[in-house]
Amino acid sequence: MSSTTAGTQKSFWEKMTSREGQRKLIIVTFMFVPLLLLLVFTYIPFLEMVKFSFQNVKYGQPGTWVGLKNYIDVFQRGECFKSLFVSVYYMGGVMVQLALALFFATMFVFKIKGAGFFKGAMFFPYLICGIAVGFIFKFFYARGYVLDSLLQMLGMDIENIPMWLQDQSINNISLAATSVWRYMGQNMILFLGAMMSVDTDLYEAASLDGANKWHQFKYIILPSIKSIVVLNLILSISGSLSAFEPPYVITNGTMGTGTYFVIMNRLAHENQKVGLACAMAIVLLGIIILCTVAQNLFFKYVFDDGS
């Protein structure tokens, strides 16, 4: 009995040269490189960042252990958490951005003339580098430049035009508008892709029953794409908490426009407080996780069908 069992057992080389063995080898080989890159460029740096958050460390110098001091400083320094309130402007911009994206995507579903051109024109800003977008709007909002010239052409006096980047009552709104301009096309394409999967026979049946375009949107389109709406909202709100390029490039975070990332970058690179900046990054990660969980729970409640 034992000799028969031993005879039926395959060697390691036979297992590897078999069809099943080669399939497993290919799977492991193709997984190895992505996992190695993920480990080297994501997980190891993240663990190093966690370690630095408990140290008083500067670039090129060994750190000294300070425990929770950096985390206490994050909550005690006014500039750190005050910068989170600037993200509220970007969250407001997210609502406008998603509403516009949903509106235009719905229009394109119902087929309008020149839809291909308008789709490309609206998606194009997303393809532009964020730094380039910052420089574009830096001159767009500059005193006496593009926006002011357009308003003057419409009859407005230059004295009545606000200082778009210097007036603290409006500069964060101006910066949030740049994000709306850049990301609206991306959200529109995601909405449009979800809407294209809806059976067109439903629109025809609804039209025969007397439903107008608003009824078709409310009772057919919106329930069919609710998962994409939730996903876009979660990603956009999480992104608004980490806004960086518009305030950094356009105003360098001055005049009350410094977001959490801009302040974190300033502490790390200008003030050489690397440990404090790492602690801020960990705190922001926790805030984003909490916001994501809260949004998931909220939308599960809102879209609950009673089951």
Side-chain angles (χ1 to χ4, degrees), residues 123-137 178 181-183 245-246 249-250:
F123 184 70
F124 178 73
Y126 179 69
L127 303 177
I128 304 176
C129 170
I131 301 297
V133 171
F135 279 112
I136 290 171
F137 278 92
T178 67
W181 180 80
R182 185 184 180 197
Y183 292 106
E245 290 166 342
V249 177
I250 300 175

Side-chain angles (χ1 to χ4, degrees), residues 7-19 21-22:
T8 57
Q9 288 181 345
K10 294 182 179 180
S11 65
F12 176 77
W13 177 252
E14 288 175 337
K15 290 180 180 178
M16 294 305 298
T17 54
S18 65
R19 182 180 181 85
Q22 290 180 356

Side-chain angles (χ1 to χ4, degrees), residues 147-220:
L147 183 55
D148 287 356
S149 299
L150 291 173
L151 293 175
Q152 284 180 288
M153 290 172 61
L154 295 175
M156 288 188 67
D157 187 0
I158 188 67
E159 299 299 328
N160 296 326
I161 299 175
M163 303 283 285
W164 303 105
L165 299 179
Q166 287 77 26
D167 188 350
Q168 295 193 22
S169 65
I170 198 174
N171 55 6
N172 282 308
I173 298 175
S174 302
L175 294 178
T178 67
S179 296
V180 175
W181 180 80
R182 185 184 180 197
Y183 292 106
M184 190 271 292
Q186 179 207 20
N187 294 130
M188 182 197 70
I189 293 298
L190 292 174
F191 285 142
L192 188 58
M195 291 176 185
M196 296 295 287
S197 64
V198 180
D199 190 357
T200 55
D201 292 339
L202 295 175
Y203 302 135
E204 296 177 4
S207 298
L208 293 174
D209 289 337
N212 56 28
K213 299 300 183 184
W214 166 248
H215 293 142
Q216 292 177 28
F217 170 77
K218 183 177 179 181
Y219 297 108
I220 298 177

Side-chain angles (χ1 to χ4, degrees), residues 13-77:
W13 177 252
E14 288 175 337
K15 290 180 180 178
M16 294 305 298
T17 54
S18 65
R19 182 180 181 85
E20 182 65 19
Q22 290 180 356
R23 188 179 71 85
K24 292 180 179 179
L25 180 63
I26 291 173
I27 292 173
V28 171
T29 304
F30 276 93
M31 287 178 60
F32 176 75
V33 174
L35 289 176
L36 179 64
L37 294 173
L38 192 64
L39 181 68
V40 172
F41 294 105
T42 301
Y43 293 123
I44 292 178
F46 175 75
L47 293 176
E48 286 294 310
M49 184 181 69
V50 173
K51 184 182 76 172
F52 289 155
S53 69
F54 295 100
Q55 297 178 347
N56 181 14
V57 59
K58 296 182 178 180
Y59 287 113
Q61 299 181 13
T64 57
W65 185 265
V66 294
L68 296 175
K69 182 179 181 302
N70 288 326
Y71 290 94
I72 295 173
D73 287 346
V74 171
F75 289 93
Q76 288 183 343
R77 292 174 72 104

